[in-house]
């Protein structure tokens, strides 16, 4: 795949899967051998763990969910993306009752792409800071 095509795969995942919750797009974009290298120790690291995070944690908690891609770099078979996932806190989020506040989770992801599909994922984010700020509100 060309580097621009790999970046487009990652952009499509962010819009169709994270923003819109499109299961068909998720299934089309995930390799059967996918591994989330950032999954917590002892937690599932396959495709369904990623779907669960978006569909059962983020989407119920955040209205007007939006992913803003700020930077994207591609080299070899990997795409690195710096992005912000934002929305209005309208549902329970890590045990925190809705606050009505707009929150933004800053993320840096590295995705290994094979044949137009996610094969591996590594990521870091500021979720712990966001949760701490919500608890303090």
């Amino acid at each position: 795949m060309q580097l621009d095509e790999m970046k487009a795969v990652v952009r499509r995942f962010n819009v169709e899967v994270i923003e819109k919750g499109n299961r068909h797009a998720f299934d089309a974009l995930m390799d059967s051998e996918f591994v989330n290298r950032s999954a917590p120790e002892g937690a599932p690291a396959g495709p369904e763990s990623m779907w669960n995070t978006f569909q059962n944690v983020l989407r119920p908690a955040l209205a007007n969910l939006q992913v803003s891609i700020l930077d994207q770099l591609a080299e070899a078979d990997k795409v690195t993306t710096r992005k912000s996932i934002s929305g209005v806190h309208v549902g329970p989020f890590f045990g925190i009752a809705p606050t009505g506040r707009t929150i933004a989770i800053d993320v840096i992801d590295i995705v290994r792409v094979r044949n137009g599909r996610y094969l591996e994922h590594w990521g870091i984010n500021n979720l712990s800071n966001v949760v701490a700020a919500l608890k303090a509100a």
Side-chain angles (χ1 to χ4, degrees):
M1 282 190 93
Q2 298 292 321
L3 298 179
D4 285 342
E5 292 172 316
M6 292 188 335
K7 289 175 11 179
V9 166
V10 174
R11 284 192 305 274
R12 179 179 173 209
F13 184 92
N14 279 273
V15 171
E16 293 188 30
V17 176
I18 299 175
E19 269 190 13
K20 296 180 181 175
N22 182 329
R23 179 64 198 223
H24 179 73
F26 177 82
D27 291 339
L29 293 168
M30 296 300 283
D31 192 278
S32 62
E33 297 177 20
F34 172 82
V35 177
N36 181 6
R37 303 290 182 192
S38 297
E41 189 174 330
E48 288 306 312
S49 68
M50 291 283 278
W51 179 254
N52 181 61
T53 297
F54 305 131
Q55 199 63 20
N56 299 319
V57 177
L58 286 180
R59 297 189 63 71
L62 302 177
N64 304 318
L65 185 66
Q66 183 176 18
V67 180
S68 299
I69 294 179
L70 307 171
D71 291 303
Q72 225 179 14
L73 303 167
E75 183 177 313
D77 61 352
K78 294 182 182 77
V79 177
T80 300
T81 304
R82 184 175 66 92
K83 63 189 176 188
S84 181
I85 301 171
S86 61
V88 178
H89 181 212
V90 296
F93 191 58
F94 294 98
I96 303 165
T99 62
R101 294 178 60 193
T102 298
I103 64 170
I105 304 163
D106 297 324
V107 180
I108 298 175
D109 282 326
I110 301 172
V111 176
R112 184 171 164 218
V113 177
R114 177 173 70 185
N115 298 323
R117 304 177 94 184
Y118 275 42
L119 182 61
E120 290 181 276
H121 167 266
W122 298 262
I124 58 173
N125 60 61
N126 72 337
L127 181 59
S128 61
N129 294 346
V130 171
V131 169
L134 287 173
K135 285 182 179 178

